[in-house]
Amino acid sequence: MPVLDIEAFAAAIPDYKPVIGLDPGEKTIGVAVSDVTLTVASPLTVIHKTKFTQDAAALFDIIDYRKVAGIVIGLPVNMDGTEGVRCQSNRALARNLLRLRPDLTITFWDERLSTAAVTRVLIDEHDVNRKRRGEVVDKMAAGWILQGALERMRGLRGEG
């Protein structure tokens, strides 16, 4: 299945199947998962990048274990709306995942400032130190990305 816009993605996800959110970075991929009602995103784990095939295998293990119906990949659009190198890299990730599993359902979600927002929450509301922030910020950013997409999907489905 090709990469879908959020409207087609929402329509393609079957009832009572979770989706995952990804925050791909240079060294890690933050992973979050939704509940089966597509209401709440929860940070799940961080995949430390090695080789693409190993990273994909780790991701596919999560997808298979949780019976995930779709993937939301964060797209780090510039503040002026243009796409830079990181966007190209995230789009390449989607293409490469689809080469290995053509049946995947994938969409992108604008993740502008997601890491900054999560970092601010960790500092201001939870007083988390720098070392601990480094351990959780990627999976929390994935949760932030996924939650935004879930809220949009809920609106498209007439539930919000």
Side-chain angles (χ1 to χ4, degrees), residues 91-111:
R91 288 188 186 281
L93 172 64
R95 282 191 305 273
N96 291 332
L97 291 172
L98 285 169
R99 282 191 189 110
L100 295 176
R101 287 222 183 150
D103 60 320
L104 289 174
T105 304
I106 298 175
T107 194
F108 293 106
W109 188 253
D110 184 345
E111 67 156 281

Side-chain angles (χ1 to χ4, degrees), residues 75-82 109-115 144:
L75 199 60
V77 179
N78 294 324
M79 293 307 292
D80 65 1
T82 60
W109 188 253
D110 184 345
E111 67 156 281
R112 273 181 264 198
L113 301 178
S114 61
T115 301
W144 185 281

Side-chain angles (χ1 to χ4, degrees), residues 19-75:
V19 296
I20 61 172
L22 303 180
D23 179 31
E26 290 181 26
K27 297 179 183 177
T28 63
I29 301 172
V31 182
V33 65
S34 76
D35 63 329
V36 296
T37 64
L38 303 178
T39 304
V40 177
S42 300
L44 182 63
T45 191
V46 173
I47 297 171
H48 295 276
K49 287 183 168 182
T50 55
K51 293 181 179 177
F52 174 75
T53 52
Q54 293 171 332
D55 303 343
L59 186 57
F60 293 151
D61 285 347
I62 294 167
I63 289 169
D64 295 341
Y65 178 76
R66 296 191 172 264
K67 297 177 176 51
V68 166
I71 303 172
V72 177
I73 299 176
L75 199 60

